[in-house]
Amino acid sequence: VEEGLEQARRAAVLPLLDNLREFALVYAAGRCREGGIQFHDLLVKARDLLKYSAEARRYFQQKFSHILIDEFQDTDPIQAEIAFFLAEDPREKGQVATDWLKIKPAPGKLFVVGDPKQSIYRFRRADIIITREVKRLIAGDKKDCVVPLIQNFRSQSPVISWVNAVFSKLMTDDGMGNQADYLPLEPFGEA
């Protein structure tokens, strides 16, 4: 029964998703033709330029010696791709990578600052999995490349103690990688 239901779901949903995808692509192309480009269109066009034009990628890589992205927890996958295309190590020889997950960033060129616990832009495609993947790609095995920011300058010790006690129990691994690790906060000074 379960197998039959799954087949029925796929038969009903997959064509619908294909139609929605086609509609979105046609609508986006129409917007671009009519000059009604949106922010997301700009991101896609910038990503595609860097992804498919080695000349453009080299040009912009030379324009930026360092790239710092603050509030990285709110970065969507297309923005992460753009950052990696710009931060690519020019010493890496071979064919220009079009998969950002295979790009090795130049040492010290890409810095990200963010707190996955504060990611609230899921509706914009921000995703903790992207944050973890970028951390892995930048730091690799080097643990000293990751500096946890745990100092709290806004709240006094009693508040910080309460927050740590409550959220260390609530923010636990969900088994799917969708939950940020909880790092206890430290107050800046005593009350």
Side-chain angles (χ1 to χ4, degrees):
V1 172
E2 286 298 321
E3 187 177 321
L5 283 173
E6 183 60 29
Q7 288 175 355
R9 284 185 198 113
R10 287 179 193 220
V13 173
L14 290 179
L16 177 63
L17 291 177
D18 285 341
N19 287 336
L20 285 173
R21 180 181 181 278
E22 185 62 29
F23 172 80
L25 291 173
V26 168
Y27 180 67
R31 278 195 319 265
C32 292
R33 262 192 324 277
E34 296 170 12
I37 201 164
Q38 297 176 349
F39 180 69
H40 185 77
D41 299 320
L42 292 173
L43 288 175
V44 170
K45 289 188 174 298
R47 187 267 324 267
D48 288 351
L49 177 68
L50 296 171
K51 184 175 186 174
Y52 299 115
S53 171
E55 182 181 351
R57 192 186 304 186
R58 277 191 304 277
Y59 173 81
F60 286 107
Q61 286 171 345
Q62 292 170 0
K63 289 288 242 183
F64 303 103
S65 62
H66 296 82
I67 300 166
L68 169 66
I69 304 172
D70 194 13
E71 302 293 341
F72 190 80
Q73 72 274 4
D74 299 329
T75 302
D76 77 15
I78 295 174
Q79 293 168 324
E81 282 185 83
I82 292 169
F84 271 76
F85 290 137
L86 292 173
E88 184 178 32
D89 192 341
R91 299 173 299 182
E92 291 293 311
K93 303 294 182 216
Q95 187 176 353
V96 175
T98 56
D99 181 353
W100 72 278
L101 295 170
K102 294 184 175 142
I103 288 178
K104 181 177 180 185
K109 185 165 185 174
L110 179 60
F111 301 85
V112 298
V113 178
D115 183 354
K117 295 187 301 294
Q118 295 182 29
S119 184
I120 60 170
Y121 290 104
R122 183 75 176 139
F123 66 92
R124 270 199 337 102
R125 299 182 340 121
D127 190 337
I128 190 168
I129 294 169
I130 295 293
T131 303
R132 286 197 176 116
E133 192 63 23
V134 167
K135 180 178 166 183
R136 183 191 67 76
L137 290 169
I138 293 174
D141 295 335
K142 296 179 245 162
K143 299 297 179 201
D144 60 340
C145 288
V146 178
V147 179
L149 303 176
I150 56 174
Q151 191 83 58
N152 182 299
F153 295 92
R154 296 181 181 151
S155 304
Q156 295 183 353
S157 294
V159 173
I160 297 297
S161 295
W162 180 85
V163 166
N164 286 337
V166 171
F167 285 96
S168 64
K169 293 179 182 122
L170 292 177
M171 296 184 79
T172 58
D173 185 6
D174 66 357
M176 295 184 294
N178 295 319
Q179 179 61 56
D181 297 327
Y182 186 78
L183 297 174
L185 302 172
E186 294 180 6
F188 176 65
E190 293 301 315

